[in-house]
Amino acid sequence: MTVDLVIFTVRDGELNILLIERGNEPFRGASALPGGYVRPGETLDQTALRELREETSLDGRELHLEQVRAYSDPDRDPRGRVITVAYLALGPDLPRPVAGTDARQAAWTPVAEVLEGRMILAFDHRTILRDALERARTQLEHTTVAARFCPEPFTVGELRRIYEVVWGFKLDPSNFRRKMTRAEAFLEPTGEQRFPEVGRPAALYRRGSARFLIPPLLRTGASRDEVV
Amino acid sequence: MTVDLVIFTVRDGELNILLIERGNEPFRGASALPGGYVRPGETLDQTALRELREETSLDGRELHLEQVRAYSDPDRDPRGRVITVAYLALGPDLPRPVAGTDARQAAWTPVAEVLEGRMILAFDHRTILRDALERARTQLEHTTVAARFCPEPFTVGELRRIYEVVWGFKLDPSNFRRKMTRAEAFLEPTGEQRFPEVGRPAALYRRGSARFLIPPLLRTGASRDEVV
DNA sequence: CGACTTTGAGTCAAGGTGACTCTTAGCTAG
DNA sequence: CTAGCTAAGAGTCACCTTGACTCAAAGTCG
């Protein structure tokens, strides 16, 4: 029984995932999701938090952690019967990943590189990644987790870029602003401004208390092909 | 490692769940979700299908089966460490449940009775039931699974009653019809009619090919307190 | 100063929704 | 036969959200 982590962050305008290089067989040398065995007396949430801390030196308070689902194909691990529960983690541009204890190299990797097939993942981790990404995209529609990607304080434009990167298509800046600022308790204005290198200064916001985005911001599919 | 099933159906205008009476300690005599251990070489889905067949003599082709999540509190089972994965099953008014092999009595129970506290469930099954119900309610918003509750062919009114019973409040019949009949590939007219004991005859439909309801039918919260 | 970029306000038409009325088509009681 | 009941199903209307769009504001850079 293991827990695998799909840790997303946005770096350089791209969606990135934390992958480790496997030091042992099977799939030695291939990339894989960070994860590990559930210890006796540990809940799965605790396992996920512990693995997260070991891989990124972050405690879970700063980011969103959520169970995705269990994967149980008897042949998914050639060593034997291993059922794994996948967790989705979202966070702001995270500090450099820490090398794991068992000589594993951890690195941020653009999700596009993985899904376009230019990189092979161990086990069924490619399927897990796909499911977790879909979950993240749906979460952005109905909840306020997108703000968990943004280091506080943040601008509406930064928040919009999160949506664009995770969803994979561009959004109208004006309509997005209208939607977000009208949503109850999503954005809490600080009153401050940020002066970027280029463009008009932007108002700064903090995360509000709302956990759900009502009404939701649905991907209509109309502009879904406009890839960023 | 076990799988527990939350099997919902609609009987007599109420949402019902299949519960078994435990024949062994712990919680002997109390009600519990049907479920059982995962066998070697079995996926969780296969375990869920097998348990379903054992409890209801139904194969999974006729109903919707879906993983909810894993429950892993080390103290959730006094006998020791048991992690369980909950599955949600939705189906039309099912045949009488079959008594389990190990002298367990299976019975349909109104969900309201359980959630109002008039009945105690073993282990953390009350929590699992709550989570599964919330999942079912959300599924009704975005997918076409509600039709899985209805024996074919069915009327729009029957489909609406499913929504009302699962959501717990009344819907406007006219608006509901408009919404459902406009949704692409949700309802497939058979051309036939049903002549009820009272009221105007209703057109009959079959389940269409669509799996998602676009746009979704969201619980707005406006009329959410109108309990049926 | 003018070109450029991004923020942020505002406009407008199209479509969806909730509340509502009204007709249709069966039944049953008188 | 008719009045009254129930539920199906069509239609109306006001309101709101949304997508597409224009335009002004406020900074930087050449």
Side-chain angles (χ1 to χ4, degrees), chain A:
Chain A
M1 188 87 206
T2 61
V3 162
D4 284 320
L5 296 179
V6 179
I7 310 173
F8 285 132
T9 197
V10 173
R11 290 167 67 92
D12 312 319
E14 262 189 318
L15 187 65
N16 278 251
I17 180 177
L18 188 71
L19 295 178
I20 59 156
E21 193 182 334
R22 286 186 57 80
N24 304 323
E25 293 296 343
F27 298 104
R28 183 183 186 127
S31 289
L33 299 174
Y37 289 98
V38 180
R39 295 181 182 166
E42 230 179 20
T43 67
L44 295 170
D45 286 15
Q46 286 165 353
T47 306
L49 282 168
R50 176 173 54 76
E51 294 290 339
L52 187 68
R53 196 171 49 243
E54 289 175 10
E55 304 290 348
T56 68
S57 70
L58 272 183
D59 59 11
R61 285 189 291 271
E62 269 308 305
L63 41 91
H64 176 77
L65 194 62
E66 170 187 339
Q67 194 185 116
V68 178
R69 55 161 293 177
Y71 295 84
S72 59
D73 186 330
D75 304 320
R76 60 176 296 279
D77 190 324
R79 287 167 297 184
R81 179 72 154 147
V82 179
I83 292 175
T84 197
V85 174
Y87 273 76
L88 168 66
L90 307 176
D93 195 351
L94 299 164
R96 86 266 161 255
V98 191
T101 49
D102 39 352
R104 301 181 296 185
Q105 198 69 28
W108 291 113
T109 314
V111 170
E113 263 187 39
V114 182
L115 291 186
E116 283 165 13
R118 295 212 298 275
M119 180 177 289
I120 294 170
L121 293 192
F123 309 108
D124 52 359
H125 287 183
R126 188 197 190 83
T127 302
I128 297 177
L129 166 57
R130 252 199 302 263
D131 291 351
L133 177 57
E134 181 52 36
R135 169 72 69 99
R137 286 175 170 165
T138 304
Q139 290 288 326
L140 257 56
E141 291 183 315
H142 296 91
T143 73
T144 59
V145 282
R148 305 303 289 267
F149 276 106
C150 302
E152 292 188 309
F154 55 89
T155 70
V156 177
E158 287 165 4
L159 185 64
R160 176 170 49 84
R161 251 155 258 137
I162 300 299
Y163 274 88
E164 291 178 342
V165 166
V166 175
W167 282 356
F169 54 87
K170 289 206 179 295
L171 296 169
D172 182 275
S174 195
N175 294 336
F176 182 82
R177 150 179 315 283
R178 179 179 59 190
K179 177 84 182 173
M180 290 300 157
T181 51
R182 282 189 190 176
E184 194 90 11
F186 190 178
L187 300 180
E188 198 177 284
T190 66
E192 310 270 304
Q193 277 192 330
R194 172 170 298 162
F195 297 85
E197 297 188 359
V198 61
R200 174 175 168 176
L204 289 171
Y205 296 87
R206 235 186 296 279
R207 295 188 271 271
S209 57
R211 303 189 52 201
F212 292 93
L213 181 57
I214 304 170
L217 175 56
L218 302 173
R219 302 170 276 173
T220 56
S223 47
R224 211 183 281 201
D225 42 3
E226 302 176 28
V227 180
V228 174

Side-chain angles (χ1 to χ4, degrees), chain B:
Chain B
M1 189 86 205
T2 61
V3 162
D4 285 319
L5 296 179
V6 179
I7 311 173
F8 285 132
T9 196
V10 173
R11 289 167 69 91
D12 310 320
E14 264 190 316
L15 186 66
N16 278 249
I17 180 176
L18 188 71
L19 295 178
I20 59 156
E21 193 182 333
R22 287 186 57 79
N24 303 324
E25 294 294 344
F27 297 104
R28 183 180 187 132
S31 289
L33 299 175
Y37 288 97
V38 179
R39 295 180 182 165
E42 227 178 23
T43 66
L44 294 171
D45 286 14
Q46 286 165 353
T47 307
L49 282 169
R50 176 174 53 76
E51 295 290 339
L52 186 68
R53 196 170 50 242
E54 289 174 9
E55 305 289 349
T56 67
S57 69
L58 274 181
D59 59 9
R61 284 190 291 271
E62 269 307 306
L63 41 91
H64 176 76
L65 196 61
E66 169 187 339
Q67 194 184 118
V68 179
R69 55 163 294 177
Y71 295 84
S72 60
D73 187 330
D75 304 320
R76 61 176 294 280
D77 190 325
R79 287 168 297 185
R81 180 69 155 150
V82 179
I83 293 175
T84 197
V85 174
Y87 272 76
L88 169 65
L90 306 177
D93 195 350
L94 299 164
R96 87 260 161 261
V98 190
T101 49
D102 38 351
R104 301 182 298 184
Q105 198 69 29
W108 291 113
T109 314
V111 169
E113 262 186 40
V114 182
L115 291 185
E116 283 166 11
R118 296 214 296 276
M119 180 177 287
I120 294 169
L121 292 192
F123 309 109
D124 51 358
H125 288 183
R126 189 197 190 81
T127 301
I128 296 177
L129 166 57
R130 251 200 302 264
D131 291 351
L133 177 57
E134 181 52 37
R135 170 71 69 98
R137 286 175 170 164
T138 305
Q139 290 288 325
L140 257 56
E141 291 183 314
H142 295 92
T143 73
T144 59
V145 282
R148 305 304 289 268
F149 276 106
C150 301
E152 291 186 311
F154 55 88
T155 69
V156 178
E158 287 165 4
L159 184 65
R160 176 169 49 83
R161 250 156 259 136
I162 301 298
Y163 275 88
E164 292 179 341
V165 166
V166 176
W167 283 357
F169 54 87
K170 289 204 179 298
L171 296 169
D172 182 274
S174 193
N175 293 337
F176 182 83
R177 150 177 316 281
R178 178 180 60 192
K179 177 83 181 176
M180 289 301 157
T181 51
R182 282 191 190 173
E184 194 91 10
F186 189 178
L187 300 180
E188 198 177 283
T190 65
E192 310 270 304
Q193 278 191 329
R194 173 169 298 162
F195 297 83
E197 297 187 0
V198 61
R200 175 175 170 175
L204 289 172
Y205 297 87
R206 237 186 292 280
R207 295 188 272 269
S209 57
R211 301 188 52 203
F212 291 94
L213 181 57
I214 303 170
L217 175 55
L218 301 174
R219 299 170 280 173
T220 55
S223 48
R224 210 181 283 201
D225 42 2
E226 300 177 29
V227 180
V228 173

